[in-house]
Amino acid sequence: MGRLFNQMTRGKKKLFAVSALMVMGCLLLLPIFLSITAVAGGGGAPAGGPPPEVVAAQKAEGEEGEAEKVEMGRDVYYKTEGPAIGMPAPVTEDNETFYPRYNFESRVLLWVANQQHLYYGSFVLAVPIFCMCIEFAGMVSKDKAMAKKYDQLAYDFIKISLTAYSLTAILGGILIFTFLTLYPAFFGYLSSIFRPVMHIYALTFVAESATLYIYYYGWDKMREGVLKWVHLSMSVILNVIGTVLMFLANSWIAFMMSPAGVDEQGRYLGNIWHVLHTALWNPLNVHRILGNMAFGGGVVAAYAAYRFLSSKTDEERAHYDWMGYIAMSLGVAFLIPLPFAGYWLMREVYAYRQQMGITLMGGLLAWLFIIQATMIGILFLTTNYYLWQALGRMTGGERFQKYIKYLVFILVVGLLVFITPHTIVMTPAELKAMGGQQHPVLGNYGVMSAKNGGINAIIMTTVLSFIWYQRGNRVPTVSWAKFGNIFMGCFFLIGQLNNIWLACYGYFIPANVRIGLSVPQVAGTLSCLLLMTPLNLAMLKNGRQLGPIRWGQIPPRSQYAIIMLATAFTWMMGLMGYIRSSVRLFWHVNEVMRDNSPWAYTHTIGFAANVISFNVLFFWISIMFVFWLGTLGAKKVPVPSPAGQPVPSPQSATGH
Amino acid sequence: MTWLKLVEGYMPMQMITELAICILVFSIINYSLKRAGMGLPKFWAGIFVWCFVNLFYLKYRIYPPIPFSVRAIYGTVAACGIFMWVSGSQQEWEEFKRPIINVLDAKTGMTKFIRTALLVLLPIGLWGFAYNSFLPSFDEPIELRTVHPAPPATTKVHGKTYVLQTAANPYRINPEGKYDQAYSNAHIVSQDMGRLMKDVNNPEDNPWDPNAEGYIKHVREGGEIFFQNCHFCHGDNLNGRGLWAFAFNPIPANFTDAGTIAQLQETFVFWRVAKGGIGLPGEGFPWASVMPPWEQHLTVDEIWKVIMFEYWHTGYYPRTWE
C-alpha cells in the first residue's frame, strides 16, 4: 500500500513537473506568437510613423472624406502602393552631427564590434543544435555506456556555450552603443523602420536566455524517464527561439542590402512583413543557419583539439579525440551543403540587382571571392586530411591509406581550378608577355563552369574519404558485398565523369543553360553523399570488425588540422561578412539612404584582410579565455564523504 | 616544349591530363624501383614532384608564360598537396622525416657536413633574399584591374535611356521579325577552333548570301561596321590582336576568350561600346582602356548590329538570366 502511495506521489510529481514545464514553455514562446501576430497584422505600431491613436484619428478623418491628405508611396521592391507613414531616410552630411567620431575610422570600430558579436552569436546559436542532436542520439542509443557518453558530451558542449552566451550579450550591447554613438542618424532611421521587430527581438532574447538556463541547470534534475524527454523538448524550444532570433537580426541586414516596404525616399509604407521579407532575407537565413552550424562545429572541435593536445592521460586523450571527431563531423555535415546555399544566395543577389552580383563576383570584390574559394578549398582539404589521419587509429585503416595519393591528386587539381583567378594579378611586363588580360589556358579555369566542376570534384572526393573512414576497421559481410562494392565504385566514377563532362560542356552552351548545369552537377555530388553513405552503412551492418577504434591514438597532426579547420571557418566568416556588407558600396541602405561619411569607400584588399585577421585573432584569444573558464569548473576536486555516510550516486554532469 | 602542341579548345583539359599522366608515370617508375629495392625515398620523391610541377611543367610547358602570382598560388597548393601525401599515414610521415632527422642528428660524416653546410648557406640565402627585396625596383607597379566593373542600372545613349537588365537587341529577330535569342543562337558559327559557318548554302546561316534576310543580314551589316571601326584594335579574328593592339597596355579585349563577351549580357557590351574607356565607372579602376565612346561615332542601331556580329563571329551566346 505504501509502495503504491509512493508511486502515486512520484507520478503526481512528474505530472506536476511536466505541466509546469509546458506552462513555462508556452510563456517562453509567447514572444514568438506575439511576433507572428504582429507580423501577420502588418506590424502593430507603424515604424517611423505617428503613434496608433494618431493613425486611428487619421482613419476617422479619412472616413469623413479627408483621406486624400495621406500621401501614398510606392514600394521600391514589391511595387505596391501604401500610405507613406514613416519619415524619409535622413540625407546625411559629412559632419559631427550625422557622424560623430573619434580620431579613428568609425567604420572599422563598427566592423570589429559587429564581427565579434556575430562570431559569438553564431557559436551560441549553433551549439544548442548540436546538443539537441547529441542528447537525442544518447537517448535512443541502446548501449548504456554510449548513451552516457553522449549525454556527457552534450553537457560539455552546452557548458562551453553558456559562458560564450554572456559574452554574446555583452558584445551585442557594445555593438548597439557603437551604432548609437558613431552612426546615430543611420541607426535612428533603421530603428524607426524596425521598431516593433526590435522589441520582439529583445523579448525573444529574454526567452532564449531563460530557456537556456533552464536547459543547462535542469540537466541533472531531468535526467531520467519522461523528464529526460521534457529536457530534450526544452532544447527544441531553445533552438526554435534561437532561430527566430537570428531570422529577425538577418532581416535588418537583408533590408540594408535589398530594401523593401519603403518608398524611394525611404518612407515606411505600413507593411512590416514587406520590410522583413526582402529579396535576400530567406537565402541569408538558410546560408547563415548552415554557416553557424559549420562554424560552431569547428569551434567545439578546436576546443576538443586543444584539450587533446594538453591532455596528460590516455583517458583524457581518448575522450577529447572522440569529442573532436563528433564536433568536426557535425561541422562538416553542414559545410557540405553550404556552397549550394551560397550559390542560391548569389543567384538571388543577381536576380535582385545585376550590378550587385557583378560587383561581387566579376568586379570590385571578385578577388575576395578567390580568397574565399581558397578558404573553402582549405576546409575540404583539411577535412580529408583529418579523416586520413583518423584511419590510422583503426586496425584495417591502412588498407585505404595507400590510395591517399590519388585522392590528393583529385583534390589538388580540383582546388587549382577552383581558385584560379579570372582577373590575374600581374606586372605590366607579364601582361604584355601573356598577350592579353586572359590566359588562353588558365583563363578557362577562371569562369564558373570550370569552378563548379572543381568544387564538386572536391566534395565528391571528401564523401569518398568519409566512406573509407566508415569502413576503416570493418569489412562488409553481406552476401551482395562484391556487387555493392562494384556498384559504389562505378557510382563514384560516373559521378566524377559526369561532373567533368558538364564542366567542359558548359563552355559550349548559352550562359542561362550553363547556370542550369550546376543542378545535375550538384545532384551528382549529393547523390554520392545521400545514396552511397547509407548504402555503405547497410553493407557494414553486422560486418566483420577488424579491431576496435583506438580513440586517442591519433597523431597530433590531426588535431592541428582541426584547429586549422576552425581558424579557416572563422577567417572565412569574417571575409564573407565583409564582402556582403561592402557590396552596398556607398549606401547605408541600398539605393535608399546614402552613406556620406568620409569612410564610404571600399577598402583595399590588404587592409580588409588585416582587419579580418585581427577579428579572427581577437575571437580566438577571447574564446581561449572561455575554454579556460570551462576547465576551471572541471578541475573541482570532489569532497570525500565522511566515513559511515552513504556515497551519493555519480552525477552525469560536472562543474556546475 | 613547342614540339608538343597545346591544342586550342582542349588546352585546359589537356593540361590536367598531361599532369595526371606525368604523376602516374612517376608513380609506376617509383613503384617498380621500390620492388627492385631502389625506390626513391619519400623526401626526395616529394621534392621531385613539386619541382617538376612548378619549376618545369608550369614554367616551361604552358605557353604563354603564366604570371608569377598564379604560379605562386599553384606552387603553394602543390606543396600542401605533397605534404598531405607524404604525411597521410604515420609510417609515410616517419619515412619522409627520416632524412631531415638524420641531418639534424648528424651521426655520420656526410650528415655532419650537410648540417654544417646548411648552417652556413641558409643565413647567406636569407641575406640574399633580404638584400634583393630591399633593392629599388624600376618595374611598373602591379595593378589589380577590374576587367568587368558592375554596369549602371540604366544608360542614356543618343538621348534615350536603356535599362540594362531588361533591354534587348532589336536586331536579334527570327524570320517572323520577333525577338528570338534561340533562333540567333542556332545560326551562329560553329564554336570549335575553326569557327566555320554552319551551312554556307543556307541563306539563314550565310551573311554573304545575297538572299540573306533578317538576323543574318544584320550580322553582315554589323561585320561591315566592325571592319570599318573596330578591327584595327580588336583584330580581324576578334582576338584582340589588331594592327594597333600592341601599342596599348593592356591590349584590347579578346572576344574569342571564354572570359570576355561570353560572360556578359548583351546590354553590358552595349553600355561599354557606347561609353568607351572614358565612361568606365569608379569601380573600373585603374580605368586602363583607350576605347573611344562609340556613341559619338555610331548610331544606336549600328552599335547593336556590331555587337551581334561579335557574338556571331566568336560563336558565343550573350548571357541571359531567364
Side-chain angles (χ1 to χ4, degrees):
Chain A
M1 189 69 184
R3 192 185 291 169
L4 189 68
F5 179 75
N6 279 345
Q7 275 180 352
M8 277 177 68
T9 316
R10 264 208 303 273
K12 272 183 185 171
K13 273 185 180 173
K14 271 188 184 173
L15 193 69
F16 176 74
V18 173
S19 317
L21 273 165
M22 282 173 73
V23 170
M24 218 179 293
C26 290
L27 282 173
L28 292 171
L29 282 172
L30 199 61
I32 298 169
F33 294 132
L34 283 175
S35 71
I36 292 166
T37 328
V39 160
E53 58 272 15
V54 178
V55 176
Q58 280 178 348
K59 252 187 190 171
E61 280 173 22
E63 280 165 13
E64 285 164 25
E66 293 177 16
E68 66 274 9
K69 279 185 182 172
V70 179
E71 201 181 334
M72 299 298 278
R74 191 174 155 83
D75 193 316
V76 286
Y77 178 65
Y78 285 103
K79 308 294 177 203
T80 51
E81 297 276 331
I85 52 177
M87 299 297 287
V91 180
T92 58
E93 284 170 29
D94 178 14
N95 59 35
E96 290 276 343
T97 315
F98 291 109
Y99 299 104
R101 62 199 78 168
Y102 304 108
N103 254 344
F104 194 75
E105 189 181 329
S106 300
R107 184 174 44 162
V108 172
L109 293 176
L110 192 66
W111 183 355
V112 173
N114 218 333
Q115 190 61 60
Q116 293 305 321
H117 177 58
L118 199 77
Y119 278 145
Y120 276 94
S122 304
F123 180 62
V124 298
L125 288 177
V127 171
I129 301 179
F130 293 157
C131 287
M132 182 179 72
C133 300
I134 297 169
E135 194 182 1
F136 179 72
M139 283 174 72
V140 295
S141 175
K142 285 173 190 158
D143 182 344
K144 281 270 162 69
M146 259 339 259
K148 207 173 169 189
K149 268 184 95 172
Y150 276 124
D151 199 66
Q152 182 64 43
L153 186 66
Y155 183 79
D156 282 350
F157 274 22
I158 204 77
K159 198 168 67 179
I160 303 167
S161 144
L162 206 70
T163 320
Y165 193 76
S166 319
L167 266 173
T168 312
I170 294 166
L171 288 164
I174 292 173
L175 175 62
I176 288 190
F177 289 137
T178 315
F179 262 124
L180 286 172
T181 51
L182 301 180
Y183 287 88
F186 164 63
F187 194 71
Y189 172 65
L190 202 66
S191 50
S192 75
I193 299 281
F194 281 96
R195 193 194 303 162
V197 178
M198 283 185 174
H199 276 115
I200 292 164
Y201 180 85
L203 285 171
T204 317
F205 192 78
V206 173
E208 165 94 356
S209 311
T211 321
L212 178 66
Y213 288 125
I214 295 170
Y215 181 63
Y216 176 72
Y217 289 110
W219 202 286
D220 282 344
K221 293 280 177 207
M222 295 187 267
R223 56 195 288 256
E224 298 290 342
V226 183
L227 283 177
K228 188 66 183 163
W229 284 102
V230 174
H231 189 254
L232 183 68
S233 312
M234 291 294 293
S235 74
V236 177
I237 295 171
L238 177 66
N239 287 312
V240 168
I241 298 173
T243 309
V244 170
L245 203 66
M246 188 188 67
F247 283 6
L248 294 181
N250 287 351
S251 68
W252 308 333
I253 55 163
F255 176 80
M256 286 164 70
M257 285 178 81
S258 55
V262 292
D263 67 4
E264 278 184 345
Q265 294 174 48
R267 293 178 301 182
Y268 175 65
L269 299 178
N271 190 334
I272 195 74
W273 178 244
H274 281 183
V275 173
L276 279 172
H277 188 235
T278 54
L280 303 179
W281 189 43
N282 278 330
L284 269 172
N285 286 338
V286 173
H287 197 253
R288 274 203 162 165
I289 288 178
L290 295 172
N292 287 354
M293 297 293 286
F295 171 72
V299 175
V300 176
Y303 166 75
Y306 158 77
R307 296 295 302 266
F308 176 95
L309 292 169
S310 58
S311 291
K312 299 279 186 297
T313 63
D314 287 345
E315 287 74 30
E316 270 188 327
R317 258 189 290 277
H319 176 69
Y320 289 112
D321 182 13
W322 181 69
M323 184 180 181
Y325 166 72
I326 299 280
M328 209 215 63
S329 305
L330 284 167
V332 171
F334 290 95
L335 169 69
I336 288 175
L338 197 56
F340 308 131
Y343 195 84
W344 180 41
L345 174 61
M346 277 303 119
R347 202 188 143 111
E348 293 303 315
V349 167
Y350 267 98
Y352 170 70
R353 281 291 180 281
Q354 187 189 199
Q355 302 104 293
M356 207 181 247
I358 294 177
T359 301
L360 280 168
M361 302 200 74
L364 192 66
L365 304 170
W367 247 94
L368 297 172
F369 268 85
I370 289 295
I371 302 174
Q372 183 227 11
T374 311
M375 301 310 286
I376 292 174
I378 290 172
L379 291 179
F380 279 107
L381 259 64
T382 315
T383 306
N384 278 278
Y385 188 70
Y386 174 80
L387 290 171
W388 301 337
Q389 296 299 315
L391 278 172
R393 67 180 167 213
M394 292 188 237
T395 312
E398 64 282 352
R399 286 172 300 156
F400 300 102
Q401 284 183 325
K402 60 187 169 193
Y403 300 113
I404 284 173
K405 51 181 169 286
Y406 304 111
L407 298 196
V408 168
F409 182 78
I410 299 172
L411 288 172
V412 167
V413 170
L415 181 59
L416 288 182
V417 171
F418 193 53
I419 66 174
T420 300
H422 182 221
T423 307
I424 296 174
V425 175
M426 53 192 158
T427 61
E430 284 176 324
L431 177 67
K432 216 163 228 177
M434 211 170 82
Q437 196 74 44
Q438 269 79 31
H439 193 282
V441 183
L442 306 183
N444 293 286
Y445 300 146
V447 293
M448 199 42 89
S449 194
K451 292 198 184 301
N452 276 345
I455 190 62
N456 278 293
I458 292 174
I459 300 177
M460 248 185 264
T461 311
T462 309
V463 175
L464 185 62
S465 288
F466 185 64
I467 283 177
W468 283 3
Y469 177 81
Q470 285 181 323
R471 288 189 172 208
N473 63 338
R474 286 189 284 177
V475 178
T477 50
V478 287
S479 57
W480 47 276
K482 196 175 174 186
F483 170 77
N485 284 337
I486 294 171
F487 179 75
M488 282 178 83
C490 291
F491 201 94
F492 271 101
L493 186 69
I494 292 169
Q496 286 284 20
L497 290 176
N498 173 57
N499 175 43
I500 295 167
W501 155 247
L502 291 175
C504 298
Y505 181 58
Y507 286 95
F508 300 97
I509 49 173
N512 58 335
V513 185
R514 181 165 62 236
I515 290 169
L517 282 189
S518 60
V519 176
Q521 278 178 314
V522 169
T525 307
L526 289 182
S527 304
C528 285
L529 177 69
L530 301 175
L531 298 178
M532 292 302 103
T533 315
L535 178 68
N536 191 45
L537 286 176
M539 284 172 74
L540 291 174
K541 202 174 177 189
N542 302 321
R544 184 160 57 89
Q545 264 214 333
L546 299 171
I549 300 176
R550 299 183 294 270
W551 290 110
Q553 291 181 30
I554 188 166
R557 292 192 303 283
S558 63
Q559 304 305 307
Y560 291 117
I562 287 182
I563 291 171
M564 186 169 161
L565 190 87
T567 314
F569 270 133
T570 323
W571 213 93
M572 199 165 78
M573 258 181 84
L575 176 76
M576 296 317 288
Y578 167 69
I579 295 176
R580 187 199 49 70
S581 188
S582 59
V583 74
R584 284 181 283 111
L585 302 175
F586 45 81
W587 296 100
H588 285 309
V589 178
N590 193 37
E591 296 168 13
V592 168
M593 183 181 175
R594 201 181 162 106
D595 180 355
N596 286 316
S597 71
W599 309 289
Y601 62 90
T602 305
H603 279 299
T604 59
I605 292 172
F607 183 86
N610 284 340
V611 178
I612 294 163
S613 299
F614 171 80
N615 273 324
V616 171
L617 200 67
F618 190 89
F619 172 73
W620 278 103
I621 290 170
S622 57
I623 200 90
M624 287 293 275
F625 173 70
V626 173
F627 290 170
W628 175 72
L629 283 179
T631 60
L632 283 185
K635 278 179 189 162
K636 258 204 243 170
V637 182
V639 181
S641 45
Q645 284 195 7
V647 178
S649 58
Q651 300 287 302
S652 68
T654 53
H656 285 216
Chain B
M1 281 181 73
T2 45
W3 52 271
L4 190 58
K5 292 258 179 280
L6 282 164
V7 185
E8 195 187 336
Y10 300 94
M11 289 186 289
M13 282 314 288
Q14 189 183 348
M15 179 180 141
I16 293 173
T17 314
E18 282 179 10
L19 273 174
I21 291 169
C22 290
I23 301 282
L24 194 67
V25 168
F26 171 76
S27 301
I28 292 168
I29 293 172
N30 201 28
Y31 178 74
S32 312
L33 287 171
K34 248 187 196 161
R35 295 282 302 252
M38 299 183 292
L40 203 57
K42 205 102 221 155
F43 179 77
W44 294 111
I47 288 179
F48 174 80
V49 170
W50 189 88
C51 291
F52 171 79
V53 172
N54 294 285
L55 303 182
F56 174 72
Y57 188 85
L58 293 176
K59 192 161 185 186
Y60 297 108
R61 169 73 183 115
I62 304 299
Y63 191 85
I66 302 174
F68 177 76
S69 67
V70 181
R71 274 200 297 123
I73 295 173
Y74 284 7
T76 311
V77 173
C80 292
I82 287 166
F83 170 77
M84 288 169 74
W85 162 44
V86 296
S87 64
S89 68
Q90 191 58 21
Q91 190 195 344
E92 284 180 310
W93 179 236
E94 295 295 336
E95 194 190 327
F96 178 79
K97 282 191 308 185
R98 203 172 301 136
I100 304 170
I101 303 285
N102 285 347
V103 168
L104 292 175
D105 284 349
K107 284 182 180 160
T108 63
M110 177 56 102
T111 50
K112 249 184 203 159
F113 171 74
I114 297 173
R115 190 174 71 172
T116 313
L118 280 175
L119 278 173
V120 175
L121 291 175
L122 269 178
I124 293 173
L126 283 174
W127 170 81
F129 179 76
Y131 178 79
N132 266 335
S133 60
F134 276 100
L135 277 180
S137 166
F138 300 102
D139 293 335
E140 288 177 72
I142 291 174
E143 280 173 346
L144 192 55
R145 183 168 169 246
T146 305
V147 181
H148 300 314
T154 57
T155 186
K156 201 170 184 179
V157 181
H158 288 297
K160 191 179 169 190
T161 302
Y162 294 85
V163 179
L164 296 192
Q165 199 143 358
T166 52
N169 190 332
Y171 296 101
R172 201 172 278 285
I173 48 171
N174 60 19
E176 284 84 49
K178 288 183 183 158
Y179 180 84
D180 189 345
Q181 176 136 4
Y183 173 82
S184 59
N185 286 350
H187 292 88
I188 57 169
V189 294
S190 164
Q191 281 192 40
D192 55 31
M193 51 186 269
R195 285 195 278 280
L196 304 169
M197 268 178 280
K198 296 237 166 90
D199 182 2
V200 286
N201 298 316
N202 184 357
E204 285 188 359
D205 284 329
N206 182 359
W208 287 276
D209 192 299
N211 300 320
E213 279 301 325
Y215 160 74
I216 205 74
K217 180 170 154 264
H218 299 314
V219 165
R220 183 178 66 214
E221 289 163 2
E224 284 165 11
I225 299 159
F226 182 88
F227 284 103
Q228 282 162 8
N229 300 282
C230 316
H231 95 285
F232 304 105
C233 298
H234 289 286
D236 49 8
N237 205 21
L238 282 70
N239 58 1
R241 286 157 186 260
L243 286 171
W244 299 345
F246 290 95
F248 307 124
N249 190 6
I251 65 166
N254 171 5
F255 300 145
T256 63
D257 188 282
T260 58
I261 58 169
Q263 294 292 313
L264 302 170
Q265 244 187 315
E266 207 167 9
T267 49
F268 184 107
V269 185
F270 176 78
W271 162 65
R272 290 292 294 113
V273 172
K275 300 296 172 188
I278 206 163
L280 276 169
E283 194 188 326
F285 177 85
W287 310 286
S289 167
V290 291
M291 191 162 88
W294 284 103
E295 63 179 341
Q296 294 175 8
H297 308 279
L298 300 176
T299 64
V300 168
D301 289 346
E302 285 171 332
I303 295 174
W304 282 124
K305 283 175 185 171
V306 79
I307 292 167
M308 212 156 61
F309 168 75
E310 286 165 6
Y311 279 105
W312 175 83
H313 192 283
T314 52
Y316 289 129
Y317 314 103
R319 167 163 261 167
T320 52
W321 302 109
E322 299 303 323

